[in-house]
Amino acid sequence: MSDVKKIATRDSYGNALAELGAEFPNLYVLDADLAAATKTSTFKKAFPERHIDCGIAEANMTGIAAGLATCGIVPFISSFAMFAAGRNFEQVRNSIGYPHLNVKIGATHAGISVGEDGASHQCNEDMALMRSIPGMVVICPSDDVEAKAAVRAAYEYNGPVYLRFGRFGVPVINDNADYKFEIGKGITLKDGSDITIVATGLCVSQALEAAETLAAEGVSARVINIHTVKPLDEELIIKAAKETKMLFTVEEHSIIGGLGSAVCECLAENHPAKVVRIGMRDRFGESGPAAELIHKYGLDAEGIVKTVKENI
Amino acid sequence: MDKKALMIAANKVRQGIITGVYNAKCGHPGGSLSAAEIFTYLYFEEMNIDPKNPKMEDRDRFVLSKGHVAPGLYSTLANRGFFDVEALKTLRHTGSFLQGHPDMKGVPGVDMSSGSLGQGLSAAVGMALAARLQNKDYRVYCLCGDGEIEEGQIWEAAMFAGHRKLDNLVLFVDNNNLQIDGSLDEVCSPNPIDKKFEAFNFYVQVINGNDFDEIAQALKNAREHKGQPSAIVAKTLKGKGVSYMENSCGWHGKAPNAEEYEIAMKELKEEEAALCQM
């Protein structure tokens, strides 16, 4: 897929904020000394008076956002997933989640695709943490088109939203006229009758590529893009469980608490089916180029194909 | 209101605290009682609020960062007319709107949910910043415990408020010198509190927080002082107004039994009668 245009979703995030900022004067962006990395610097350049740098103090940034939200401002707080969701879990839960305030959390540098910075900065637990907060929407977009649509949808939605972005360039796969983003609605990207691959984030393009390889080998794989991990599109998942033999979930996240868990919870209660979770298997990441890590941990097309073949 | 009326109002607030905690059979009377004058002065005199329109757009805001003293806030709001004083008897009961810690979704007059120590000041700073960003002239008040300021987030918030020169923000530190495990000096002293806030670019005043004249003067000074947020270190007596609760760690988070309740209410009613005859 080397000829395909690649964009990191953190760039999409910064660009989307700058676009929305022009439309909505009550949109503010808060950073914790990472505007250059979270790409909110794009917004900062366009609307310096609406960009608030809180310094290296994420907990306070989160509380400030809560206070701003009570006064009619729509704040997007930005940091790395490790800090936005990890360090901040309790602030997000108690200052934003419990009062259900209209704060958006833009978390970049999620998952192992952070790369060389290594395990301390590779947050593979953020979706698990955020998903557990009552009323929190959790979105993990798969490419530039979806990420920008997600930022707009998050602004238009009244309530807390966690947005997960990456620093690694990913192929643009949703650049078509029919594309429509709706919070909580999964997208069937490819139909198939033998198995279903349910993917989120940067794993979606890998899942599509895996499905092509599998098709050549006689396995018909359905591919579902779950951009909204919470609320999960249960109807689409149950339908896939009824129509195909087994499901494979793929995420750049721990297999505990993220997409894989959400799919298992849904099916265990509604239509028990075999689910194989592809993700970080209860371990930390490590330093290395993002593409190599994605390959090493079996999250690329090759790894997905291998896991599918081992299980069908 | 004159000082006598304020003292009577504070007495009523204290009666409501005891009533609430007694009926809940748990809760936090000590720090609620120590801050009764601060609550009373803010809601009966200082703040631009309307009990009939609790969400009034440009009202002054209050954040109870030490959310466990919800009985003090609830009693003040009820006595000020935000809701029926009788409701205080449902404090902490299943289904009651008066949750153990303030819930802004359920209680008229509560501007921010709180309870997890260290978080409320950040929200107050956000509100003060919102006023600045939106060119509004409302003011924001926050009450922290002196033990609470051991939380690191307080200093993150203080650094930001000082840096941004948020002079529409007033922080009260209820300095009753006691926390759950003992006195501040025994546990993990945040002293000297005044010097710390000065170092974070606050305009700092140290007052007797159980004295209405000193509270009034400090708030007037804070209003007139430009270019810095205010910290008012309010020296108070934990458990004030109920003899056996005064200056005792044990009454931080404990409800009186029936006998103790009778003694507390008798003392407070006697004080009320004496005040009325002044």
Side-chain angles (χ1 to χ4, degrees), chain A residues 28 49 51-54 56-60 63-64 66-68 70-73 90-91 94-95 98-101, chain B residues 61 99 101-105 111-113 116 119 122-123 125-127 129-130 133-134 138 153 156-157 160 164:
Chain A
Y28 283 70
E49 73 290 352
H51 179 269
I52 298 153
D53 206 324
C54 299
I56 309 169
E58 296 81 6
N60 181 49
I64 286 178
L68 292 172
T70 68
C71 300
I73 283 170
E90 205 232 317
Q91 281 75 16
N94 275 326
S95 286
Y98 179 41
H100 201 71
L101 291 173
Chain B
R61 266 83 170 166
Q99 293 291 296
H101 294 80
D103 170 14
M104 65 185 286
K105 292 288 187 200
D111 293 317
M112 182 64 202
S113 300
S116 177
Q119 296 190 26
S122 295
V125 168
M127 293 172 186
L129 179 66
L133 295 170
Q134 296 174 323
Y138 60 79
Q153 191 179 338
E156 293 184 4
F160 183 95
R164 292 262 172 175

Side-chain angles (χ1 to χ4, degrees), chain A residues 15-295:
Chain A
N15 292 333
L17 288 175
E19 274 177 42
L20 291 170
E23 274 180 70
F24 305 109
N26 67 346
L27 190 161
Y28 283 70
V29 175
L30 279 66
D31 264 288
D33 197 41
L34 287 171
T38 62
K39 299 298 176 184
T40 53
S41 48
T42 314
F43 178 92
K44 182 181 177 181
K45 206 174 196 177
F47 307 101
E49 73 290 352
R50 281 193 272 147
H51 179 269
I52 298 153
D53 206 324
C54 299
I56 309 169
E58 296 81 6
N60 181 49
M61 171 172 73
T62 302
I64 286 178
L68 292 172
T70 68
C71 300
I73 283 170
V74 182
F76 278 73
I77 58 175
S78 303
S79 187
F80 293 177
M82 191 68 253
F83 316 126
R87 183 187 203 91
N88 259 359
F89 171 73
E90 205 232 317
Q91 281 75 16
V92 173
R93 184 206 183 266
N94 275 326
S95 286
I96 295 174
Y98 179 41
H100 201 71
L101 291 173
N102 196 21
V103 176
K104 317 304 169 184
I105 304 159
T108 65
H109 296 64
I112 59 163
S113 64
V114 163
E116 291 83 349
D117 275 353
S120 61
H121 285 56
Q122 295 164 344
C123 192
N124 297 315
E125 303 84 14
D126 55 327
M127 293 200 287
L129 290 165
M130 292 296 109
R131 213 163 65 81
S132 70
I133 298 174
M136 178 67 72
V137 170
V138 179
I139 299 174
C140 179
S142 61
D143 75 346
D144 179 58
V145 173
E146 192 158 88
K148 286 203 269 198
V151 177
R152 178 175 287 274
Y155 175 85
E156 288 168 351
Y157 172 85
N158 185 20
V161 179
Y162 180 79
L163 295 152
R164 185 182 212 241
F165 304 110
R167 83 176 281 268
F168 184 56
V170 290
V172 177
I173 55 172
N174 294 303
D175 192 11
N176 60 68
D178 299 340
Y179 179 79
K180 183 167 170 268
F181 182 93
E182 197 180 330
I183 289 176
K185 283 280 173 211
I187 300 169
T188 304
L189 291 172
K190 180 185 171 301
D191 205 4
S193 53
D194 293 329
I195 62 152
T196 301
I197 306 174
V198 183
T200 192
L202 64 74
C203 296
V204 175
S205 63
Q206 299 297 332
L208 279 171
E209 205 179 316
E212 280 177 35
T213 308
L214 288 166
E217 298 183 23
V219 178
S220 169
R222 181 178 302 187
V223 177
I224 294 176
N225 167 17
I226 292 291
H227 51 64
T228 309
V229 175
K230 184 187 173 190
L232 183 69
D233 188 342
E234 297 201 330
E235 201 180 318
L236 196 63
I237 299 295
I238 294 166
K239 186 165 176 279
K242 285 178 178 168
E243 295 174 358
T244 64
K245 291 185 204 73
M246 65 171 73
L247 293 90
F248 294 81
T249 60
V250 198
E251 62 197 308
E252 187 203 1
H253 184 276
S254 171
I255 55 164
I256 300 168
L259 174 69
S261 290
V263 168
C264 288
E265 289 157 14
C266 164
L267 293 179
E269 284 188 345
N270 295 287
H271 188 86
K274 175 156 182 178
V275 179
V276 177
R277 294 166 299 159
I278 301 173
M280 296 300 283
R281 300 197 72 84
D282 198 18
R283 61 158 300 158
F284 292 105
E286 61 179 299
S287 287
E292 286 183 26
L293 295 177
I294 290 164
H295 176 69

